[in-house]
Amino acid sequence: MATTPTATNATKKGHCPTCDGERTCEIHGSIYKAWDWEDKQYGHSVNGGVDHSLLECQGCETVFYETSSWNSEDTDHYYDAAGQEQYEHPREIQTYPKPEAKTKPVWFDAMQKADPQLRNILSQMYVAHDNQAHILTAIGLRTALDRATEVIGIDPAKTFDEKLNELRNGGWIGQTERDILGVVTDAGNAAAHRGWVPDSQEVSELLSSLEVFLHRAFIVGQKALGIKKSIPAKPERLLAVGKKTTP
């Protein structure tokens, strides 16, 4: 074990999870941990190390934890000014807590009013998406759609096909969107039960399809219904009394 004393008021650049960007941070403490691994049977060995730091952003004053690690198996080669080959071990840097998901739509927080459980499902799904966990994202999309149909009032015991048909028959979606949401459902089932691994483009398209439905059903639609209260009622049509029609 090796430790590195930190000078008072020492600073370094770090990725602040609140500012979500590189900021000058005060170092409140740091320690370096080296490690070694050896396969005694075949003589292979690997070594590396991790710098652990407790940092405070000098902008927003958020305190967070950062690790900066390297290992001997990950090496970048390059040539210096004299033409000599050199190498270095790139660092993998992680911070905790992680920044908020970057892909959340601007209307995401309004989902709390619609249904806190649905918002929680979506929040975890966006974290999976930002971390490129595509299988978990696809499963999360299906779970979010399932919860959305329940909030709308569809029996949760029904199959996904039955739920989508009820959405269509109830006027929530048309046939084309019913087919699109069917793909979202199938993708989630395939990821959960058949080992399907979607790529980033496929996941983004599935996510966009679900967002269109959620935005209309829970955000835009509710706002439009609220406007109805302020629209003046249509005046009643007055009927002529005792007027004869001339042939």
Side-chain angles (χ1 to χ4, degrees):
M1 180 184 74
T3 61
T4 303
T6 303
T8 305
N9 298 325
T11 62
K12 63 171 290 187
K13 292 291 186 179
H15 191 102
C16 173
T18 301
C19 299
D20 197 10
E22 189 175 80
R23 299 291 186 270
T24 299
C25 300
E26 183 176 351
I27 305 173
H28 287 294
S30 65
I31 184 172
Y32 176 77
K33 294 281 190 175
W35 57 268
D36 292 280
W37 176 86
E38 181 180 358
D39 183 344
K40 295 181 179 180
Q41 181 177 358
Y42 298 101
H44 301 306
S45 64
V46 181
N47 60 79
V50 184
D51 277 306
H52 302 265
S53 302
L54 184 65
L55 308 178
E56 180 178 357
C57 175
Q58 291 191 333
C60 69
E61 299 184 342
T62 295
V63 176
F64 61 99
Y65 167 58
E66 178 193 89
T67 62
S68 176
S69 59
W70 68 274
N71 73 80
S72 58
E73 295 298 290
D74 190 4
T75 306
D76 288 340
H77 294 268
Y78 65 95
Y79 291 92
D80 60 20
Q84 299 295 317
E85 185 177 12
Q86 305 289 341
Y87 72 91
E88 62 181 4
H89 300 295
R91 291 267 180 163
E92 180 182 358
I93 298 176
Q94 295 184 330
T95 58
Y96 306 90
K98 291 185 178 295
E100 285 290 316
K102 298 178 182 178
T103 53
K104 292 179 181 177
V106 294
W107 46 264
F108 172 77
D109 287 336
M111 293 300 298
Q112 178 69 23
K113 184 177 180 180
D115 183 65
Q117 184 176 344
L118 177 56
R119 183 189 182 279
N120 184 42
I121 294 170
L122 290 170
S123 179
Q124 295 188 38
M125 183 272 298
Y126 281 117
V127 171
H129 182 267
D130 282 352
N131 285 277
Q132 300 182 4
H134 299 324
I135 293 177
L136 296 179
T137 304
I139 296 172
L141 288 169
R142 182 193 63 169
T143 305
L145 177 57
D146 193 22
R147 176 59 185 173
T149 61
E150 186 175 355
V151 175
I152 287 173
I154 296 175
D155 185 356
K158 293 188 174 183
T159 66
F160 266 107
D161 277 343
E162 291 172 335
K163 292 174 182 179
L164 294 178
N165 288 338
E166 283 210 25
L167 287 176
R168 180 195 59 202
N169 296 339
W172 292 94
I173 58 176
Q175 181 60 45
T176 299
E177 191 168 9
R178 188 254 179 262
D179 295 339
I180 293 173
L181 293 179
V183 175
V184 174
T185 301
D186 290 340
N189 288 335
H193 305 297
R194 300 194 293 275
W196 179 60
V197 183
D199 59 33
S200 59
Q201 182 64 32
E202 290 169 331
V203 166
S204 294
E205 290 173 356
L206 293 171
L207 176 57
S208 296
S209 300
L210 181 66
E211 286 178 339
V212 168
F213 165 67
L214 295 176
H215 185 234
R216 186 180 64 254
F218 294 99
I219 309 299
V220 175
Q222 295 301 316
K223 290 181 178 179
L225 290 174
I227 295 173
K228 182 179 180 180
K229 299 177 182 178
S230 63
I231 299 176
K234 182 179 180 181
E236 294 183 4
R237 183 177 181 181
L238 299 177
L239 299 176
V241 179
K243 183 179 290 187
K244 293 183 179 180
T245 304
T246 302

